[in-house]
Amino acid sequence: MTKLIAALALCLALTITPLTASPAYAEGGCEGASWGVACGVGVPGYGGSGPAAPLKNTHSSSSDPVACVTQEMPPREVPCSDAELGTWSNARACYIKAESPPPPLTDAVWSGNTTGSIYRCSSSGIWSGPGSYLFWADSAPGVIPDPRVLALQAVTQMRLRAVEIGMAPDPSPGSVGLVGLPIWLWVASPDQSTWGPNTKTASAGGYSVTATGKVTQVVWSMGDGGTVACTSTGTTYADSFGMSASPDCGYRYTKQGTYTVTATSYWTINWSGIGASGVINQTYTSSVVVTIGELQTVVKG
């Protein structure tokens, strides 16, 4: 009888150990099987034991959407965001939201830090997890960032700007073009920031979004109501071209006058990451002033 009781006690201990073992937070990923969630599916959490039972929306690629799950056996999916509680963190198994207003810097929760923020972890009513508590972090740990926000950050890193206008006749003061003669238009000194391609990556909390952009066309508004759409940078004029027309981006004025020429560059920026993708369109504008005159014929008689 004593041996039977001991055997039953051992079986009971082995049964409940995975549920009562002291968990170790894994902000950057899991080790081994993570409470029924297989490692490598982008679901960070406890480094516990247990069978790997795949969830319906977990994926094998880290760029795919990440399942939001509790750390119970078996794991249970929860909404990845809550209007009141914030964004779900698999690593902490709770909703995380910046505490507002934050406690004073003298509060022990700051642990002597003067930068970063204080966040509230809330799981009460969601599952029998960590409950509700405050903690300090330099950024919200374990929170899945909005990929669109990271995409915009990547675009900001590109430092895009308007094209530098190249034009013949030269638009500098004192230079005059002639009615009916060809006008040459081009993008002067194109680079990553004015023409592309330009690729940048923005990251947060271990997640990344990469964006690549380039100019798809430049629309030249000539100031007299006419426009020219060019899909290339145009051809830089050289004196050897004489009076010939531009092979890819040119214009002719029909009346004399002073005109403001505006070049609007249209960027198409494709981004992808964290299981999402999209397109961002941007425009940038630069302008110059050109003077067009008429050739005068002098008749002597």
Side-chain angles (χ1 to χ4, degrees), residues 14-101:
L14 292 175
T15 301
I16 65 174
T17 296
L19 297 180
T20 60
S22 176
Y25 291 120
E27 300 290 3
C30 65
E31 298 177 2
S34 181
W35 290 109
V37 180
C39 283
V41 299
V43 184
Y46 290 122
S49 61
L55 298 171
K56 67 182 181 181
N57 69 337
T58 56
H59 298 267
S60 60
S61 171
S62 60
S63 64
D64 287 337
V66 178
C68 294
V69 294
T70 60
Q71 292 174 344
E72 53 193 325
M73 185 66 76
R76 180 169 51 85
E77 293 190 56
V78 295
C80 287
S81 63
D82 183 279
E84 296 296 328
L85 302 179
T87 304
W88 183 263
S89 166
N90 279 326
R92 289 183 178 265
C94 60
Y95 288 103
I96 291 181
K97 186 176 183 179
E99 184 73 352
S100 180

Side-chain angles (χ1 to χ4, degrees), residues 297-301:
T297 304
V298 178
V299 180
K300 295 183 179 179

Side-chain angles (χ1 to χ4, degrees), residues 4-286:
L4 177 59
I5 293 174
L8 290 174
L10 177 59
C11 290
L12 179 61
L14 292 175
T15 301
I16 65 174
T17 296
L19 297 180
T20 60
S22 176
Y25 291 120
E27 300 290 3
C30 65
E31 298 177 2
S34 181
W35 290 109
V37 180
C39 283
V41 299
V43 184
Y46 290 122
S49 61
L55 298 171
K56 67 182 181 181
N57 69 337
T58 56
H59 298 267
S60 60
S61 171
S62 60
S63 64
D64 287 337
V66 178
C68 294
V69 294
T70 60
Q71 292 174 344
E72 53 193 325
M73 185 66 76
R76 180 169 51 85
E77 293 190 56
V78 295
C80 287
S81 63
D82 183 279
E84 296 296 328
L85 302 179
T87 304
W88 183 263
S89 166
N90 279 326
R92 289 183 178 265
C94 60
Y95 288 103
I96 291 181
K97 186 176 183 179
E99 184 73 352
S100 180
L105 291 175
T106 55
D107 193 297
V109 72
W110 285 93
S111 301
N113 294 289
T114 56
T115 59
S117 300
I118 302 301
Y119 298 90
R120 179 169 295 278
C121 171
S122 303
S123 66
S124 299
I126 309 301
W127 75 293
S128 57
S132 178
Y133 64 91
L134 296 178
F135 66 96
W136 172 90
D138 56 357
S139 61
V143 174
I144 304 170
D146 186 336
R148 294 167 297 182
V149 173
L150 289 184
L152 291 174
Q153 292 178 9
V155 173
T156 299
Q157 294 176 24
M158 292 180 182
R159 301 186 182 278
L160 305 180
R161 63 182 190 276
V163 300
E164 180 181 347
I165 292 178
M167 187 174 180
D170 189 343
S172 60
S175 178
V176 178
L178 296 176
V179 170
L181 293 185
I183 304 295
W184 288 58
L185 306 166
W186 68 90
V187 175
S189 304
D191 58 23
Q192 284 188 338
S193 294
T194 60
W195 189 261
N198 194 328
T199 299
K200 289 291 184 280
T201 298
S203 302
Y207 298 91
S208 297
V209 169
T210 298
T212 298
K214 62 178 295 185
V215 174
T216 54
Q217 70 171 345
V218 177
V219 176
W220 303 79
S221 298
M222 304 306 295
D224 63 345
T227 60
V228 181
C230 302
T231 56
S232 70
T233 56
T235 302
T236 303
Y237 179 79
D239 290 341
S240 60
F241 297 149
M243 296 295 183
S244 61
S246 170
D248 48 12
C249 196
Y251 191 72
R252 294 176 189 265
Y253 284 101
T254 59
K255 295 181 180 180
Q256 65 178 351
T258 299
Y259 303 104
T260 298
V261 177
T262 301
T264 301
S265 51
Y266 289 81
W267 284 81
T268 298
I269 305 163
N270 294 281
W271 62 267
S272 62
I274 320 181
S277 62
V279 178
I280 296 173
N281 297 307
Q282 299 272 10
T283 60
Y284 298 86
T285 300
S286 56

